[in-house]
Every structure is written in structure tokens, then in C-alpha cells.
């Protein structure tokens, strides 16, 4: 009983060791990471931006890419083809010239192909590829996501110029988001910054008569009517004159009588 058990444990140990060795060989091939740069936060209608795709390798081998690709997706489109109104041109890392995409997938993927040996990523090195992305009026307005897996169909080249065994670790996609086109228009404020609604009527306190409007300073007050004459009438003056003459005559008569005595 003990002998078959020992044989089984030995076989399991050999299988586990072989698996660990294969995994270690796979890890020694390294991995690549990809970053995206130059993607704006917003892009106006008809705008263009230049995106940089940088690939960094941890592999001790040279890497020969079969090409590069970018994908654009949006949930703003309600019809048509996802690539409508979108153009992607590439700066070929082999010669530095700009050229259109070699393949455009209707699902929204633009690819640049490279012949074998034209471009390589050096051991533990980096490679930067540039592309210009233009969105015209036909492109859907809204939020976009730009993604890239870095290298398409990479091949590991050993020191002897032969393909290396194994492959790279799993690649993670790089992504960036941006807003295309103007935002939804909001309510337009009035020039004064206040609400354009008409002012509400204010209730007048009950029992209080409204004050009369004061006359304008430009309208002079009406002139007052001239006062009527208040002097004595002619009859009163005649009677007063008679009384004065009679008094004077009486006074003269009294003086003459005294002298005669």
C-alpha cells in the first residue's frame, strides 16, 4: 500500500515541477505595457489631435510587431457606421512618413501593418508610434473611448535571429476618454444676469388709500387767482368827509364864542 502511494506522490511532484519550469520560462520572456498620450479632454467638431502610443518591454528578447492599431467606441451613435466621419493616419515608425491606415474595421478599429523586420522593439526597450485622429461633422457627438493593445501579432526574436519559444505575458489595453462636440445647450441667462420672468405684483395693505402721484418737476403749479380789493366803498368815504367838516366847523365856532366873552 505504501509503495503505490509513494509512486503516485513522485509522479505528481514531477508533473508540478515541469509545470513550474514551463511557467518560469514563459515569465522570462517578459511583458509589454502600453500608454496613450495626447488625447484631449474635449474635441470640437472637425477637430484633430495627435495621439502617442508608447510600448515598453521587459523582455530580454527583441520583439517584432506585426503592426499597431487604435479603436474608437462611443455609445452616442444611434445609427450609421461607427467609422463614419472618423479618419486615422499614422506616422510610420520605420521611415517617419505619414500614411493612412492599412485596414479600417467597420466596428471602429484602425490598423497600421508592418512587414517583417521593418520595426523592432529592443530588449527591455520602448517604441513610440504616433497617429492623427480627425473627427468630422458626420461623427457622432458625445463621449468617446480610445483603446489600444500596443503591438499586434508580436513575435519574439532570440539572439540567434530565430523566433524565441513561448510568448509574452498577457497584455493590458491602454485607454483614454474624451468628449466630442459641444455639450447640450442650457438655458440662456438674461444680459443683466437676472431672471427674465416678469416681476410679481405686490399686494397693497388693506385700508390704505393709494398715495396720489406728486406733480412732476417739469409741470409748474397753477398760478393763484388775484385777491379781491378790500378798500372802503365811495359812500363810506363821503360820510366820513361830512363828519370831518362838521367837526371842524364846530371846533371853529367854539373858539370864536370864547373870544367874544
Amino acid at each position: 500500500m505504501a509503495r503505490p502511494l509513494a509512486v503516485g506522490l513522485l509522479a505528481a511532484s514531477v508533473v508540478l515541477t515541469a509545470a513550474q519550469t514551463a511557467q518560469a520560462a514563459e515569465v522570462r520572456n517578459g511583458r509589454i505595457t502600453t500608454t496613450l498620450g495626447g488625447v484631449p479632454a474635449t474635441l470640437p467638431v472637425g477637430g484633430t489631435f495627435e495621439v502617442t502610443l508608447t510600448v515598453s518591454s521587459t523582455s530580454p528578447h527583441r520583439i517584432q510587431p506585426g503592426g499597431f492599431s487604435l479603436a474608437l467606441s462611443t455609445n452616442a451613435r444611434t445609427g450609421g457606421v461607427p467609422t463614419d466621419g472618423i479618419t486615422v493616419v499614422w506616422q510610420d515608425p520605420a521611415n517617419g512618413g505619414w500614411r493612412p491606415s492599412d485596414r479600417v474595421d467597420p466596428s471602429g478599429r484602425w490598423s497600421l501593418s508592418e512587414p517583417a523586420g521593418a520595426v523592432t522593439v529592443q530588449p527591455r526597450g520602448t517604441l513610440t508610434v504616433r497617429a492623427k485622429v480627425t473627427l468630422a461633422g458626420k461623427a457622432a457627438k458625445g463621449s468617446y473611448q480610445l483603446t489600444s493593445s500596443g503591438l499586434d501579432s508580436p513575435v519574439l526574436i532570440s539572439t540567434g535571429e530565430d523566433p524565441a519559444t513561448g510568448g509574452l505575458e498577457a497584455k493590458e489595453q491602454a485607454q483614454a476618454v474624451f468628449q466630442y462636440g459641444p455639450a447640450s445647450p442650457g438655458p440662456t441667462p438674461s444680459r443683466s444676469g437676472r431672471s427674465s420672468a416678469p416681476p410679481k405684483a405686490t399686494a397693497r395693505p388693506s385700508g390704505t388709500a393709494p398715495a396720489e402721484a406728486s406733480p412732476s418737476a417739469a409741470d409748474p403749479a397753477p398760478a393763484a387767482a388775484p385777491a379781491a380789493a378790500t378798500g372802503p366803498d365811495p359812500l363810506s368815504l363821503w360820510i366820513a368827509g361830512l363828519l370831518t367838516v362838521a367837526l371842524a366847523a364846530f371846533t371853529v365856532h367854539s373858539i370864536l364864542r370864547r373870544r367874544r366873552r
Side-chain angles (χ1 to χ4, degrees):
M1 180 70 180
R3 187 172 182 179
L5 179 60
V7 172
L9 290 175
L10 180 60
S13 176
V14 171
V15 172
L16 179 60
T17 302
Q20 289 176 343
T21 301
Q23 183 179 7
E26 181 78 10
V27 171
R28 280 198 299 271
N29 286 332
R31 65 180 302 172
I32 59 172
T33 56
T34 307
T35 57
L36 294 174
V39 181
T42 58
L43 184 70
V45 175
T48 299
F49 64 92
E50 185 174 311
V51 57
T52 58
L53 188 157
T54 302
V55 176
S56 301
S57 170
T58 64
S59 176
H61 305 289
R62 291 188 300 116
I63 302 175
Q64 178 180 292
F68 311 90
S69 62
L70 291 172
L72 275 172
S73 61
T74 179
N75 56 6
R77 181 173 295 281
T78 57
V81 181
T83 56
D84 284 348
I86 304 176
T87 304
V88 178
V89 296
W90 299 83
Q91 185 179 37
D92 194 333
N95 55 34
W98 290 90
R99 61 187 179 93
S101 299
D102 293 308
R103 174 178 170 78
V104 180
D105 193 312
S107 64
R109 185 181 181 89
W110 291 259
S111 301
L112 174 70
S113 300
E114 291 292 345
V119 181
T120 57
V121 181
Q122 296 301 317
R124 299 183 178 86
T126 61
L127 176 66
T128 299
V129 181
R130 292 176 172 81
K132 289 181 181 179
V133 182
T134 303
L135 277 71
K138 291 178 62 177
K141 312 303 184 297
S143 178
Y144 278 78
Q145 179 172 295
L146 179 67
T147 59
S148 176
S149 58
L151 306 179
D152 289 346
S153 304
V155 177
L156 295 174
I157 306 298
S158 66
T159 306
E161 299 301 321
D162 296 324
T165 58
L168 296 167
E169 292 184 60
K171 299 177 294 182
E172 294 183 0
Q173 284 195 335
Q175 62 181 21
V177 295
F178 64 94
Q179 180 73 27
Y180 175 59
S184 300
T188 304
S190 61
R191 292 184 178 179
S192 62
R194 300 178 181 177
S195 173
S196 58
K200 296 181 179 179
T202 304
R204 189 183 301 279
S206 60
T208 304
E212 295 181 359
S214 59
S216 171
D219 299 330
T230 57
D233 58 353
L235 180 59
S236 300
L237 292 175
W238 184 74
I239 295 174
L242 288 178
L243 291 176
T244 302
V245 173
L247 181 59
F250 177 76
T251 302
V252 171
H253 178 70
S254 297
I255 294 173
L256 291 176
R257 288 184 61 184
R258 289 176 184 175
R259 288 182 178 180
R260 289 176 182 175
R261 293 177 180 173

